[in-house]
Amino acid sequence: MGFYSVLSFAQKLTAERLTSGGRAIDATVGTGADTLFLAKLCGPRGEVRGFDIQAEALALAEERLRAAGEALPGTLSPVTLLQRSHAAMLEAVPGDWPGTVSAVMFNLGYLPAGDADKTIITQPDSSLAALEAALELLRPGGIITAVLYPGHDGGDLEAAAVESWASAVPPVVAQSIVYRQIQRASAPYCLALEKKKRS
């Protein structure tokens, strides 16, 4: 059968922790694939926020969400797309969100659209700030998934920074795992953190 792709693995982990009526964040909207995935899981009673610095990305995501909403009326959660850095997510979400979000998904790197500027990439400093914010927003038992791309210029530095950050999170706060193909150092891989439930 083969292993899950890193994107499918991130979605599998998320689907196990995000249910209808939940709150979720797509920290890097891109073409909107994860945004739509989260909107389906949250359902009409849930809420999704999405962040991207590129207007082109938000336009692609809006079109994807519109088409899905027409094909599956009444099944998606409301989605708010924001043209802001993911590092600003804590101040950009409603005040009652901290401690209630079930899932935050990151797909780092560049916008994977055909004619997009591949030199516009996520940066370690803003990504680490966003991960810190995401951890604060999570409910106990909630999950952060980050798909990392060490194969492009700058991607290896960002991946190393994210791994270093995750390994420094105290185990009483969250547990973390890595899912990767170990024979190919440049292959994309998934890192995930699950916030510990209160004892």
Side-chain angles (χ1 to χ4, degrees):
M1 177 174 136
F3 294 119
Y4 288 102
S5 72
V6 291
L7 297 173
S8 295
F9 185 73
Q11 290 190 346
K12 178 183 187 303
L13 293 177
T14 300
E16 291 169 353
R17 292 158 180 82
L18 177 59
T19 57
S20 179
R23 290 172 170 170
I25 294 172
D26 186 350
T28 50
V29 166
T31 63
D34 285 337
T35 319
L36 176 57
F37 170 75
L38 293 171
K40 287 178 178 177
L41 287 177
C42 289
R45 294 182 296 108
E47 297 177 85
V48 175
R49 292 286 193 282
F51 294 85
D52 208 292
I53 61 169
Q54 296 186 75
E56 180 184 356
L58 299 180
L60 290 168
E62 283 174 355
E63 176 55 29
R64 186 186 293 260
L65 290 164
R66 185 197 61 74
E70 290 176 359
L72 303 164
T75 63
L76 304 180
S77 71
V79 176
T80 302
L81 297 175
L82 300 164
Q83 190 176 351
R84 295 184 69 173
S85 169
H86 52 359
M89 74 170 73
L90 194 56
E91 58 260 32
V93 299
D96 64 342
W97 274 45
T100 70
V101 174
S102 293
V104 184
M105 300 187 79
F106 290 78
N107 196 354
L108 300 175
Y110 52 76
L111 178 61
D115 57 352
D117 184 348
K118 303 295 193 292
T119 65
I120 301 174
I121 60 173
T122 52
Q123 300 293 329
D125 287 350
S126 59
S127 292
L128 294 182
L131 287 161
E132 283 285 353
L135 191 55
E136 188 169 337
L137 288 166
L138 280 190
R139 65 166 175 78
I143 193 166
I144 296 168
T145 61
V147 177
L148 307 167
Y149 296 87
H152 68 80
D153 286 345
D156 54 342
L157 298 176
E158 183 172 49
V162 171
E163 268 199 64
S164 179
W165 172 83
S167 66
V169 173
V172 295
V173 174
Q175 60 180 341
S176 58
I177 63 166
V178 172
Y179 177 79
R180 74 184 306 167
Q181 183 180 343
I182 59 176
Q183 297 102 326
R184 291 177 53 227
S186 64
Y189 64 101
C190 179
L191 183 147
L193 282 88
E194 182 181 55
K195 194 167 187 178
K196 295 289 273 193
K197 295 183 178 179
R198 299 184 186 95
S199 55

